[in-house]
Amino acid sequence: MANFEEINWSSIIKNVEEKMVKGGRISAFFSDVENLYPTIDVGYDPKNKMGFIKIKVETDGTPLNAEWVDEEINDYVLDNYLHPEMEKAGVDMDEWEADISVDIVPLEED
């Protein structure tokens, strides 16, 4: 079992964010996208003995499926980017419980 307090979370965040931007696939969940800024925050709260994953997508696009876009982005990011990085860091995803949130934030027009 990994010691979650000793994981280099900043390295995982950096690698996942780079891959999310490079992959460009997240834009496929939206129509009329000109700007899209995905970020992720991942870590472990020792007080609650629980991990957290916060995915934020700032965009001027419109979700293609407003009802399910959060879940679709969550599944896509976790399966394709986060889980492989976590496994490289020695985290067994079956052992790690996390509170997960996905926020779609509309970009303000100037």
Side-chain angles (χ1 to χ4, degrees), residues 45-58:
D45 179 359
K47 179 181 170 190
N48 295 318
K49 297 188 184 323
M50 182 79 140
F52 61 87
I53 302 167
K54 298 176 183 177
I55 301 169
K56 181 167 83 171
V57 179
E58 294 179 274

Side-chain angles (χ1 to χ4, degrees), residues 12-50:
I12 292 172
I13 291 167
K14 178 180 178 268
N15 291 339
V16 170
E17 283 185 348
E18 284 177 2
K19 290 175 181 176
M20 286 189 327
V21 171
K22 240 184 217 178
R25 170 72 171 89
I26 293 175
S27 65
F29 296 105
F30 300 90
S31 65
D32 303 320
V33 177
E34 289 186 29
N35 299 290
L36 185 114
Y37 307 101
T39 58
I40 190 167
D41 189 17
V42 181
Y44 182 75
D45 179 359
K47 179 181 170 190
N48 295 318
K49 297 188 184 323
M50 182 79 140

Side-chain angles (χ1 to χ4, degrees), residues 4 26 36 39 43-45 65 67 72 77 81 84 88 90 98:
F4 301 124
I26 293 175
L36 185 114
T39 58
Y44 182 75
D45 179 359
N65 183 345
E67 186 175 338
E72 290 170 342
V77 170
Y81 305 127
K88 278 193 231 174

Side-chain angles (χ1 to χ4, degrees), residues 1-2 7 10 31 35 41 49 60 67 74 82 85 95 98 102:
M1 184 160 134
I7 300 293
S10 61
S31 65
N35 299 290
D41 189 17
K49 297 188 184 323
D60 56 1
E67 186 175 338
N74 171 62
L82 184 61
E85 288 298 322
E95 294 178 357
V102 177

